Amino acid sequence: MAALDPPQFIDAAWLSRPATQVAPDLIGCVLVRYLPEGGIARGLIVETEAYEPNDPACHAYRRCTSRNAVMFGAAGACYVYLIYGIYHCLNIVTDLDGIPSAVLIRALHLESLPPWIPPQPKATLRRLAAGPGKLCLALRIDRSLNATLLQPGYPLWLEPRSEQFQQQLNAGEVSLTQTTRIGLTQGIDLPWRWYLTNCPAVSKRG
DNA sequence: TGTAAGATCCTA
DNA sequence: AGGATCTTACAT
């Protein structure tokens, strides 16, 4: 009985694999944002990108710095950085301790408006988290969450695919598209981006 | 200490 | 196509 099952969440062991394996597996999982004062929000992960060692687009390609240090640590932590001085991007640290790699969360499908956001037209809810910067804005994610662990009760955690989603995937009722990453000047040919095919909340198609 | 570029997004 | 906006990384 689902109601009696213990609360499930994705743990560090599940994430301790190469980012290129974790990234497609995260599609259909749920990102949970918890604010002690402001409530909780959940979004279905519908778009991800993998960043690995020996990947010229990876922030940790050259060396360990104060910004990318979290990527060098064990799986299960958040790597959050500021891009273009304006937006934040959320990554999930993957793979073994000492192997710098992460999965960028690029888009969420929000089923409802986070309680801390004022009412919006229904049409905008569809695209409120359609992009790495937009989802961080919607879920109030900034660099203060860098290096926090993904565990229930913490600011962020991950929940596995629902049984229904997994069945739809197995039956071919939904599918994943694999293609090249977005917004890069290096490593542009690596097909390390995955998204839920035909999902309106995906940042870009193709 | 200076500078150029950046895993974005919105507007025109 | 361009601008907002500022941190980071690397060169000087």
Side-chain angles (χ1 to χ4, degrees), chain A residues 10-23 25-26 52 73-77 92-99 101 103 150 158:
Chain A
I10 290 175
D11 62 13
W14 192 90
L15 296 167
S16 295
R17 298 176 283 146
T20 47
Q21 288 181 31
V22 174
D25 287 355
L26 277 175
E52 292 215 337
I92 309 300
V93 175
T94 58
D95 218 317
L96 302 175
D97 196 357
I99 301 181
S101 63
V103 173
L150 292 154
L158 295 165

Side-chain angles (χ1 to χ4, degrees), chain A residues 119-187:
Chain A
Q120 308 271 327
K122 192 176 178 181
T124 67
L125 176 61
R126 279 198 323 175
R127 307 235 82 214
L128 195 66
K134 294 174 73 176
L135 77 87
C136 284
L137 210 51
L139 295 191
R140 289 193 177 178
I141 295 166
D142 61 26
R143 279 175 298 174
S144 70
L145 299 190
N146 188 46
T148 58
L149 296 179
L150 292 154
Q151 290 178 22
Y154 282 59
L156 292 165
W157 68 89
L158 295 165
E159 295 174 353
R161 289 171 178 165
S162 69
E163 222 169 278
Q164 183 190 27
F165 183 92
Q166 189 60 57
Q167 285 172 2
Q168 289 177 337
L169 200 56
N170 295 344
E173 295 163 19
V174 299
S175 66
L176 306 189
T177 298
Q178 177 178 5
T179 181
T180 51
R181 298 174 294 184
I182 289 182
L184 307 177
T185 59
Q186 301 182 55

